[in-house]
Amino acid sequence: EDQVTQSPEALRLQEGESSSLNCSYTVSGLRGLFWYRQDPGKGPEFLFTLYSAGEEKEKERLKATLTKKESFLHITAPKPEDSATYLCAVQAMRNQGGKLIFGQGTELSVKP
Amino acid sequence: NAGVMQNPRHLVRRRGQEARLRCSPMKGHSHVYWYRQLPEEGLKFMVYLQKENIIDESGMPKERFSAEFPKEGPSILRIQQVVRGDSAAYFCASSTRDANNSPLHFGNGTRLTVT
């Protein structure tokens, strides 16, 4: 069964304190791995797509990396506005279109 | 360029009533997806539609739930005879024609409360 597990469930950082979020996955044929950010009361906001092991993507203070079993979202020198829930999702080769399997998310809180 | 529009944002229904949730995809997007987020749970896929066609409904409960995406107008998720367990946030997402290689863009959801 396809599965996505994110850790930790919650993470509290001080402003400027870099860290990483983990997304472990099992899927029969990975088409793509996605990272989203979700603010309270809002829908998920797309951040990155990764397709193959070794691939990396960057956007401002965020960098996503991918191996054959997991993905990391590295946050460098975070700011309070980075506080949100970060969601990881995978798309299996056998699924049509954009059917995604999501993890439970990591709730990030950055204190000034 | 408007994003994915969902309405209503909040919907309260009594047990046994019907709930209709509407979703207008982003301009130029022809693929629509519905996801449900239960309290303390992750997002779960429900159904994938293209215009006038249901492509994948493997995540839809077998009874009381239906979805459509007509030639004209928004996509509708319909829940008949709602029960308390249907209380959740329902998110719609859309993608371009090449859905296998384009990310989903989500709306801000409809929060359904069943009393």
Side-chain angles (χ1 to χ4, degrees):
Chain A
E1 182 184 345
D2 300 333
Q3 195 168 357
V4 176
T5 303
Q6 292 188 245
S7 62
E9 289 185 12
L11 181 62
R12 291 189 172 201
L13 299 173
Q14 288 296 126
E15 185 172 1
E17 180 187 2
S18 301
S19 188
S20 295
L21 282 56
N22 176 263
C23 170
S24 298
Y25 65 91
T26 53
V27 64
S28 53
L30 179 71
R31 186 187 296 278
L33 184 140
F34 301 80
W35 282 99
Y36 284 85
R37 167 191 172 132
Q38 186 173 24
D39 292 293
K42 299 284 185 68
E45 176 189 345
F46 171 72
L47 293 174
F48 304 109
T49 309
L50 301 165
Y51 293 106
S52 56
E55 189 175 359
E56 297 183 354
K57 293 268 179 80
E58 281 190 72
K59 181 181 178 180
E60 296 181 356
R61 295 177 292 282
L62 300 177
K63 183 168 90 171
T65 61
L66 180 65
T67 72
K68 288 187 177 180
K69 293 184 178 180
E70 58 192 353
S71 176
F72 291 94
L73 185 65
H74 306 277
I75 303 176
T76 302
K79 298 182 177 182
E81 54 261 43
D82 294 322
S83 297
T85 296
Y86 289 85
L87 302 172
C88 173
V90 297
Q91 183 184 17
M93 283 286 189
R94 69 175 181 283
N95 289 330
Q96 295 187 70
K99 178 180 177 180
L100 302 180
I101 300 160
F102 279 87
Q104 299 282 78
T106 292
E107 186 177 351
L108 174 66
S109 174
V110 182
K111 299 297 182 187
Chain B
N1 185 18
V4 177
M5 304 300 292
Q6 290 188 249
N7 65 81
R9 288 298 311 276
H10 300 275
L11 182 62
V12 179
R13 284 288 178 266
R14 292 194 179 131
R15 277 180 297 171
Q17 291 185 319
E18 179 179 288
R20 281 187 179 235
L21 288 61
R22 288 177 291 277
C23 168
S24 296
M26 283 181 70
K27 189 176 180 180
H29 286 192
S30 56
H31 299 235
V32 165
Y33 311 80
W34 286 92
Y35 284 77
R36 176 164 66 174
Q37 190 169 41
L38 291 163
E40 307 304 323
E41 292 190 21
L43 281 159
K44 303 291 185 190
F45 168 81
M46 298 181 75
V47 63
Y48 163 33
L49 310 107
Q50 295 178 23
K51 286 283 187 182
E52 299 185 281
N53 284 306
I54 297 174
I55 307 302
D56 182 349
E57 55 181 349
S58 58
M60 286 278 270
K62 293 284 185 263
E63 297 177 347
R64 301 188 297 108
F65 285 72
S66 62
E68 63 176 6
F69 189 15
K71 188 176 180 181
E72 301 291 338
S75 175
I76 306 287
L77 180 67
R78 183 182 177 204
I79 311 172
Q80 295 178 291
Q81 298 175 319
V82 296
V83 301
R84 289 222 171 106
D86 296 332
S87 295
Y90 291 83
F91 291 95
C92 171
S94 70
S95 67
T96 63
R97 203 179 315 169
D98 185 14
N100 285 328
N101 292 298
S102 64
L104 303 190
H105 294 270
F106 284 83
N108 283 328
T110 292
R111 277 143 189 87
L112 172 66
T113 301
V114 179
T115 61

